[in-house]
Amino acid sequence: MAKYLLLKHYRGAPASVHDVPMDQWTPGEVTAHVQYMRDFITRLEGTGEFVNTEALTQEGTFVRHDGEGRPPVTDGPFAETKDLIAGWIVIDVETYERAIELAGELSAAPGAGGRPVQEWLEVRPIYAPPPTSTE
């Protein structure tokens, strides 16, 4: 089994086929989208392929160590993940092909007008150190 990150973007990915921002959806369309996501996760829990999911707000701050004293905090000018990353699902699947299959299903979540959003999802393997052998 290998873990993969299915990464949803606010922006930064290619535009989805039905590219209507969620803040322009009706409350019913948002509810249908969220329910699709819940059902998707429930199904993955049933197959043992679900690990974790989180949705992110657009708030956030960059912080770094800068020696003694208060660390510097900035809100730019570089591309910020708070503007880019909407959330993620971590899956644990047998093959890369299965990760791609699940990302395709997730991309079909309904959006404006009940049409599948067909958003682009980033599929990233999660680093796992190679197994060690013991003698």
Side-chain angles (χ1 to χ4, degrees), residues 42-102:
T42 298
R43 189 165 47 83
L44 293 182
E45 287 172 333
T47 63
E49 296 172 308
F50 176 77
V51 176
N52 176 283
T53 188
E54 296 293 338
L56 302 176
T57 67
Q58 291 188 13
E59 291 82 36
T61 304
F62 276 95
V63 177
R64 75 164 191 232
H65 173 74
D66 200 27
E68 294 298 319
R70 185 168 183 243
V73 176
T74 186
D75 195 31
F78 33 82
E80 301 183 39
T81 56
K82 71 179 185 182
D83 293 333
L84 302 175
I85 301 171
W88 66 82
I89 296 177
V90 177
I91 57 174
D92 195 358
V93 295
E94 289 290 335
T95 65
Y96 172 76
E97 291 74 21
R98 177 67 175 151
I100 296 299
E101 176 186 350
L102 291 173

Side-chain angles (χ1 to χ4, degrees), residues 20 25 29 36 38 55-56 66 75 82 88 105 113-114 122 130:
V20 177
W25 297 2
E29 291 166 346
Y36 183 97
R38 287 184 179 142
L56 302 176
D66 200 27
D75 195 31
K82 71 179 185 182
W88 66 82
E105 291 179 30
E122 187 175 351

Side-chain angles (χ1 to χ4, degrees), residues 19-40:
D19 194 18
V20 177
M22 189 179 264
D23 62 359
Q24 296 176 22
W25 297 2
T26 67
E29 291 166 346
V30 172
T31 299
H33 183 83
V34 170
Q35 189 59 53
Y36 183 97
M37 302 291 287
R38 287 184 179 142
D39 293 345
F40 181 81

